[in-house]
Amino acid sequence: MARVVVDVMLKPEILDPQGQAVQRALPRLGFEGVSDVRQGKRFELEVDGPVDDAALARIHELAESFLANTVIENFTVKVEEEKAEAGE
Amino acid sequence: MARVVVDVMLKPEILDPQGQAVQRALPRLGFEGVSDVRQGKRFELEVDGPVDDAALARIHELAESFLANTVIENFTVKVEEEKAEAGE
C-alpha cells in the first residue's frame, strides 16, 4: 500500500480569485511579505499493491481525465512512501 | 523570492465526502486498485525575501490561523525552492 499524491493547480495564466482573496487579506491580518497566493487541490490516493511504472502511468491518466481540468489546470503526480505529518 | 507550500488536509478521523465520491467513482470509470482518496487544499505562497526560521514561523502561524481549521484539519508547511512542474 503506497500513497500517491496528485496536486492540481490552476495554470499560471489563469486568474485565481480564491488565492487573490487570501493574498489580499494577509496584510490586513498582520502578515506582510507574501506577494502572491495560489490555491489548488491536493488528492491523496491510497494505492493497493506496488506503485510501479504501469501503476503510475494509470494514475497519471486518471489525474488527467478526472482530477484535473487540463484546459485550465496543471497537475503533478508524486509517490509518497512515508506518511510524514506535521502541523496539528 | 521563494515558494512556500501549505497543504491542508482533513484529519484522518474526519469523514471526507469529496474524497469518498472520487474513490467510489474510480472503479466505474475503469480504475481499480485505489482503496482510499482524501481531498484537501494546497496553497502556494510566494514569499518576499529569504525564508529563514523566523519567516517559516510566521507562515506556520498564518497557516494555523487562517488557512487551516485546526479543529478538523492538519496542515504541513514546506519550502519549495525549485519550481518543478509536470503534467500539462
Side-chain angles (χ1 to χ4, degrees), chain A residues 56-67:
Chain A
L56 268 184
R58 286 181 55 247
I59 290 167
H60 199 273
E61 191 191 334
L62 178 166
E64 188 168 7
S65 318
F66 307 120
L67 301 182

Side-chain angles (χ1 to χ4, degrees), chain A residues 42-73:
Chain A
R42 175 186 170 92
F43 296 90
E44 293 182 353
L45 314 181
E46 302 295 335
V47 179
D48 302 332
V51 182
D52 48 16
D53 286 351
L56 268 184
R58 286 181 55 247
I59 290 167
H60 199 273
E61 191 191 334
L62 178 166
E64 188 168 7
S65 318
F66 307 120
L67 301 182
N69 174 355
T70 53
V71 177
I72 58 168
E73 291 170 330

